[in-house]
């Protein structure tokens, strides 16, 4: 099942306009450079709180962010990618990680509890209790009638209250898109050790359309497009976590590097120059964002 | 006034909230088995939750996060152990953590004498956690006040109801005397027993002040609580929940701390509430209150 090409239609990238593909890549790129800045700040001990990095997994959030608009967003603890690709300002996240009052929760919540409620974005903060966002997303869809996206991990999928809440969404036909970011890990324990069943099968048996798909962003858009007209629905995305569960360490080379694969695909499609420009622009932007002198000023206070 | 029962008051508040306020009411079996002792109105906006205690509470919290000010009905307080996580871990923390409130009105009903998992009074646990308002209204007027406070603020609120109060139509006034021997502070259902206990004690020549406590958290130490104590110089806090780590001991401590006078606590024994008498570990009744005061004064 789990593979970098699972349920990815052949030559799928070609079916999408270049503009959309490049927007998606730009968001992935911006996110990657941001987390490189985070890693550097952790090494330099400017960030002293735990950080939950999503590098390696970001293609799914980038794909979703181009496809679903005006959704209420309920993400989990590992959500730098969701926050940034959906348009959360990088400087507010940086400040949150630094514990500054200009952060997204005045520096009180940190990496695993991101929220943002401005500029037309409604991203509700997590508290770090795994799976808690799933019943909340369902209740928010019930209470508001608005389209809602709920993003959680393969570990969260096992929480008893998670599929109970998905069942409620099915019963009441609530407009929720459930997205499982399946990195095959709950901290360091792989799925096969933890359970014999598939959350996609569970979702299906609850009465909602459900698919497994690798994190190829074009394939994610393709399936999201089909599912989002038929909510509630469930999509399980196979991804590879690049770093430790918490912190900036690396255990082993991930099974695949989606970022590199997307770059290669864009080059194949003739966008070499465009991605060079995006890379360069983003790198410079993030260098300024994480500029040591600027950073150290508020930190000295 | 004086005609409406507590149950009718709750039903009318709920009706107003659902019909005029864009409110929402969620719970299990709220439209069956007598509409939760006739406290739930038959109007639009009622959501029957399946038997998913944790997810159900999380769904109610989600509705609160988008501003619906849900009324979440829990038919037996014991279930709060299951329902508690989204309330404690999310609703009560979101304001301090994110600056965003999650106002939810939790109607938690208590009962007496129906066994180990249907007779509990759990308000003490919620006093323990930051972020909640906790109250235990036993009269129509107190219930109206609880609702008013909920609507005027944005905190999640635990309303510790008791089935013994639902048919009550009377308000309860404090009773203070110039030469009282002891001040009895009462919470929840023992409030219906304390008057008779005081009468029995009076026959023995013991004069009791009676002070009713509705608001458990925040517990505001006010003149109404302190003045009778500074005169009687001895107090007893009586509650329907367990005494250890419970509201009775916590409030007794506050009162002693503020006055220097000894204040004792009387709650449930550290024993399971079994179904059959004499193992029910009942809420302090008239006789128990009488005996406790006699013991203290000896
Ligand atoms: C209710 C709860 N149980 C356990 C934990 C400890 N914990 C934190 S993250 C995590 C793993 C979650 O795995 P998953 O949902 O797949 O997300 P991932 O970390 O892989 O992104 C665990 C077990 C927790 N925070 N909350
Ligand atoms: Mg995982």
């Amino acid at each position: 099942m789990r593979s970098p090409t699972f349920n990815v239609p052949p030559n799928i990238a070609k079916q999408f306009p270049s503009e959309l593909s490049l927007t998606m890549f730009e968001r992935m790129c911006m996110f990657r450079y941001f987390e490189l800045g985070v890693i550097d700040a952790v090494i330099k001990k400017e960030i002293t709180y735990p950080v939950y990095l999503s590098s390696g997994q970001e293609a799914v959030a980038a794909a979703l962010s181009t496809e679903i608009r005006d959704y209420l967003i309920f993400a989990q603890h590992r959500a730098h990618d969701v926050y940034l690709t959906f348009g959360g300002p990088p400087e507010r996240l940086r400040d949150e990680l630094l514990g500054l009052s200009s952060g997204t929760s005045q520096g009180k919540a940190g990496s695993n509890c991101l929220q943002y409620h401005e500029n037309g974005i409604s991203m509700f903060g997590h508290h770090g209790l795994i799976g808690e966002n799933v019943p909340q997303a369902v209740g928010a869809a019930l209470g508001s009638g608005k389209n809602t996206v709920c993003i959680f991990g393969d570990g969260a999928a096992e929480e008893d209250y998670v599929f109970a809440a998905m069942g409620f969404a099915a019963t009441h036909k609530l407009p929720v898109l459930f997205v499982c970011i399946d990195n095959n890990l709950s901290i360091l324990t792989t799925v096969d050790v933890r359970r014999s069943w598939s959350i996609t099968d569970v979702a299906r048996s609850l009465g909602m359309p459900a698919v497994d798909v690798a994190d190829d962003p074009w394939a994610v858009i393709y399936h999201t497009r089909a599912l989002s007209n038929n909510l509630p629905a469930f999509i399980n995305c196979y991804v590879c976590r690049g770093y430790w569960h918490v912190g900036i360490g690396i255990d082993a080379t991930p099974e695949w590097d989606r970022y590199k694969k997307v770059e290669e695909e864009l080059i194949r499609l003739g966008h070499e120059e465009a991605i060079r420009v995006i890379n360069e622009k983003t790198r410079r932007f993030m260098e300024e964002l994480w500029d040591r002198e600027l950073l150290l000023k508020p930190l000295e206070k | 006034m004086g005609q409406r029962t507590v149950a009718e008051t709750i039903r009318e508040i709920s009706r107003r909230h659902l019909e005029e306020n864009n409110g929402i009411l969620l719970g299990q079996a709220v439209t069956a088995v007598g509409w939760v002792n006739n406290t739930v109105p038959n109007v639009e906006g009622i959501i029957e939750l399946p038997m998913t205690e944790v997810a159900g509470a999380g769904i109610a919290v989600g509705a609160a996060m988008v501003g619906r000010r849900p009324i979440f009905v829990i038919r037996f307080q014991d279930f709060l152990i299951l329902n508690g996580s989204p309330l404690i871990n999310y609703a009560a923390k979101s304001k301090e953590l994110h600056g965003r409130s999650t106002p939810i009105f939790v109607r938690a009903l208590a009962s007496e004498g129906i066994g180990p998992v249907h007779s509990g009074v759990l308000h003490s646990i919620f006093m323990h956690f930051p972020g909640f308002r906790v109250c235990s209204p036993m009269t129509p007027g107190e219930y109206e006040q609880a609702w008013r406070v909920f609507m005027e603020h944005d905190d999640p609120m635990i309303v510790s109801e008791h089935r013994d109060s639902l048919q009550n139509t009377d308000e309860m006034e404090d009773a203070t005397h110039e030469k009282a021997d002891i001040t009895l502070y009462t919470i929840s259902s023992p409030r219906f027993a304390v008057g008779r206990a005081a009468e029995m004690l009076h026959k023995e020549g013991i004069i009791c002040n009676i002070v009713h406590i509705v608001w458990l958290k925040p517990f505001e130490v006010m003149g109404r609580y302190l003045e009778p104590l500074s005169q009687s110089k001895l107090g007893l806090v009586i509650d329907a929940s367990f005494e250890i780590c419970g509201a009775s001991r916590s409030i007794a401590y506050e009162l002693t701390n503020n006055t220097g006078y000894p204040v004792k606590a009387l709650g449930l024994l550290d024993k399971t509430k079994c179904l059959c008498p004499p193992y029910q570990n009942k809420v302090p009744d008239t006789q128990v209150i009488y005996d406790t005061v006699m013991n203290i004064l000896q």
Side-chain angles (χ1 to χ4, degrees):
Chain A
M1 284 281 260
R2 183 181 166 78
S3 85
T5 52
F6 190 85
N7 226 344
V8 178
N11 295 319
I12 179 82
K14 265 200 207 140
Q15 297 175 24
F16 289 88
S18 306
E19 203 185 324
L20 181 133
S21 298
L22 290 172
T23 300
M24 200 163 63
F25 176 72
E26 194 167 6
R27 291 179 188 177
M28 289 174 69
C29 184
M30 185 260 302
F31 161 78
R32 269 289 168 113
Y33 276 107
F34 181 88
E35 280 207 341
L36 288 174
V38 174
I39 292 166
D40 204 29
V42 171
I43 291 168
K44 295 201 167 83
K45 297 197 167 32
E46 288 153 2
I47 293 177
T48 52
Y49 307 110
V51 291
Y52 296 80
L53 302 181
S54 21
S55 285
Q57 309 188 159
E58 67 275 36
V60 178
L64 291 171
S65 73
T66 62
E67 184 56 25
I68 54 174
R69 299 207 177 77
D70 303 323
Y71 274 52
L72 304 181
I73 304 166
F74 287 76
Q76 203 171 262
H77 62 296
R78 193 180 309 288
H80 295 176
D81 54 349
V82 177
Y83 172 90
L84 289 169
T85 56
F86 275 81
E91 66 279 7
R92 297 283 302 279
L93 175 53
R94 175 200 63 193
D95 291 357
E96 185 64 27
L97 300 181
L98 292 166
L100 301 175
S101 59
S102 44
T104 46
S105 293
Q106 289 91 45
K108 294 178 193 162
S111 171
N112 60 339
C113 301
L114 302 182
Q115 65 158 354
Y116 191 66
H117 292 276
E118 292 169 47
N119 301 328
I121 300 169
S122 293
M123 177 171 177
F124 290 84
H126 197 257
H127 285 188
L129 196 87
I130 295 304
E132 64 180 351
N133 52 323
V134 181
Q136 287 164 11
V138 170
L142 173 78
S144 68
K146 292 186 181 161
N147 285 347
T148 302
V149 61
C150 181
I151 305 170
F152 54 95
D154 53 291
E158 291 153 15
E159 285 290 0
D160 34 18
Y161 40 89
V162 166
F163 42 83
M166 288 168 65
F168 184 88
T171 302
H172 290 264
K173 300 200 168 29
L174 299 175
V176 185
L177 177 64
F178 299 97
V179 181
C180 181
I181 305 294
D182 182 351
N183 57 16
N184 196 31
L185 291 171
S186 174
I187 305 185
L188 275 176
T189 313
T190 51
V191 171
D192 60 329
V193 178
R194 302 180 336 240
R195 56 175 146 102
S196 60
W197 46 269
S198 135
I199 181 69
T200 314
D201 289 344
V202 172
R204 235 174 253 137
S205 73
L206 289 170
M208 65 179 85
V211 293
D212 291 298
V213 60
D215 60 348
D216 177 288
W218 293 282
V220 172
I221 297 187
Y222 171 86
H223 287 289
T224 303
R225 219 163 254 185
L227 293 175
S228 59
N229 290 323
N230 199 7
L231 299 177
F234 176 80
I235 179 165
N236 186 67
C237 302
Y238 298 124
V239 303
C240 301
R241 192 180 77 199
Y243 294 87
W244 281 349
H245 167 65
V246 53
I248 60 169
I250 297 176
D251 280 328
T253 311
E255 291 161 88
W256 64 85
D257 181 348
R258 179 61 62 192
Y259 190 89
K260 200 155 156 244
K261 282 180 184 297
V262 170
E263 259 184 345
E264 284 165 3
E265 186 64 22
L266 285 169
I267 290 169
R268 231 188 328 271
L269 293 172
H271 297 307
E272 189 160 6
E273 176 57 13
I275 64 171
R276 193 194 59 75
V277 171
I278 290 172
N279 255 308
E280 191 48 31
K281 190 180 87 180
T282 311
R283 191 181 56 72
R284 260 186 279 120
F285 174 80
M286 285 299 164
E287 265 173 21
E288 273 174 38
L289 188 86
W290 290 102
D291 182 278
R292 299 267 93 69
E293 280 180 24
L294 284 179
L295 267 184
L296 290 176
K297 260 184 219 154
L299 284 175
E300 279 162 7
K301 280 183 198 158
Chain B
M1 295 300 280
Q3 294 303 307
R4 214 160 63 166
T5 63
V6 169
E8 287 161 349
T9 306
I10 298 171
R11 197 168 64 221
E12 175 56 18
I13 287 171
S14 307
R15 189 200 60 72
R16 273 197 325 254
H17 190 51
L18 298 181
E19 289 193 333
E20 297 162 23
N21 249 348
N22 190 33
I24 187 171
L25 183 151
L26 307 96
Q28 284 174 24
V30 287
T31 58
V33 212
W35 299 75
V36 194
N37 302 71
N38 267 318
T39 59
V40 173
N42 186 359
V43 296
E44 289 285 305
I46 292 173
I47 307 293
E48 275 292 349
L49 290 170
M51 280 198 61
T52 52
E53 311 295 333
V54 186
I59 290 166
V61 165
M65 291 165 78
V66 293
R68 294 293 297 275
R69 287 193 172 256
I71 299 173
F72 180 44
V73 184
I74 298 166
R75 292 171 63 246
F76 295 94
Q77 289 200 16
D78 306 74
F79 307 163
L80 274 168
I81 293 291
L82 293 162
N83 305 132
S85 177
L87 303 172
I88 293 166
N89 288 311
Y90 203 92
K93 294 178 182 172
S94 68
K95 194 156 96 176
E96 279 194 82
L97 197 64
H98 296 306
R100 286 181 74 82
S101 56
T102 310
I104 176 169
F105 189 87
V106 181
R107 282 191 53 205
L109 283 94
S111 305
E112 177 69 339
I114 47 175
V117 296
H118 292 81
S119 310
V121 173
L122 274 74
H123 49 229
S124 302
I125 296 178
F126 290 84
M127 294 165 67
H128 182 67
F129 293 105
F132 287 112
R133 283 173 196 273
V134 185
C135 64
S136 183
M138 293 288 122
T139 75
E142 291 168 2
Y143 211 98
E144 288 280 6
Q145 192 210 23
W147 181 257
R148 224 173 17 252
V149 169
F150 172 68
M151 292 303 279
E152 284 167 1
H153 296 83
D154 60 2
D155 305 301
M157 193 146 113
I158 304 293
V159 185
S160 174
E161 299 178 10
H162 202 292
R163 282 187 172 78
D164 287 0
S165 80
L166 292 178
Q167 294 314 309
N168 177 36
T169 55
D170 297 333
E171 298 304 317
M172 293 190 228
E173 303 291 331
D174 292 348
T176 53
H177 307 277
E178 260 179 29
K179 292 210 167 110
D181 299 290
I182 189 166
T183 302
L184 305 179
Y185 298 91
T186 50
I187 301 162
S188 185
S189 64
R191 292 174 60 192
F192 297 105
V194 73
R196 270 167 288 136
E199 281 168 24
M200 284 163 63
L201 288 159
H202 191 72
K203 288 195 183 127
E204 306 293 332
I206 295 165
I207 300 176
C208 304
N209 291 326
I210 297 173
V211 175
H212 297 281
I213 297 180
V214 178
W215 289 94
L216 306 176
K217 190 176 188 183
F219 182 72
E220 206 182 308
V221 185
M222 54 179 119
R224 184 165 77 78
Y225 298 155
L226 298 183
E227 279 151 27
L229 182 58
S230 60
Q231 182 276 318
S232 67
K233 299 187 171 39
L234 179 64
L236 173 68
V237 183
I238 306 160
D239 179 33
S241 71
F242 289 104
E243 191 179 307
I244 294 180
C245 290
S248 57
R249 284 198 189 172
S250 171
I251 289 175
Y253 173 86
E254 293 281 346
L255 294 169
T256 292
N257 234 6
N258 275 275
T259 59
Y261 296 120
V263 182
K264 310 277 183 190
L266 173 63
L268 264 58
L269 303 174
D270 186 23
K271 283 180 177 302
T272 296
K273 284 170 84 74
C274 300
L275 183 63
C276 301
Y279 306 108
Q280 288 183 338
N281 189 15
K282 290 170 84 164
V283 166
D285 59 13
T286 306
Q287 191 63 46
V288 171
I289 297 170
Y290 171 90
D291 292 343
T292 307
V293 172
M294 292 300 273
N295 269 336
I296 292 171
L297 286 172
Q298 254 161 28

